[in-house]
Amino acid sequence: VEGEGARLPFSWSGVSLHAVGASVLRVRLSAAAAGGGAVSLAVADGAGRAVLSVDSLVLRPVSVEQIQGARGGRQESLYRLDW
């Protein structure tokens, strides 16, 4: 919706992986049956075969200030990424 700002993924449910190895994906977003601003996803490969499905993905609004604060703030964290 225009004027609402960015929305980020918050809660996923009903995620099913149907296939792997696709080099091209097509994604269809639609309003989820659960409502509440959630969307559902249907992901298919280039030939139209199902790759992934998501029953409900809840998106939460985020402000510019929140994004900027997450970017430059604390260096100490409970979690760390190790490669």
Side-chain angles (χ1 to χ4, degrees):
V1 176
E2 192 174 329
E4 283 190 24
R7 298 173 69 85
L8 295 178
F10 176 72
S11 175
W12 302 75
S13 65
V15 178
S16 298
L17 180 63
H18 306 290
V20 296
S23 59
V24 174
L25 295 175
R26 297 183 302 171
V27 179
R28 183 182 69 208
L29 295 170
S30 45
V39 296
S40 62
L41 286 85
V43 182
D45 64 13
R49 293 181 297 261
V51 173
L52 178 84
S53 60
V54 178
D55 292 339
S56 176
L57 169 58
V58 177
L59 303 170
R60 287 236 173 133
V62 62
S63 68
V64 172
E65 293 80 19
Q66 288 173 308
I67 293 172
Q68 289 173 340
R71 228 202 240 170
R74 307 173 194 143
Q75 294 299 319
E76 294 179 32
S77 176
L78 179 59
Y79 301 103
R80 184 179 77 221
L81 179 62
D82 273 334
W83 292 96

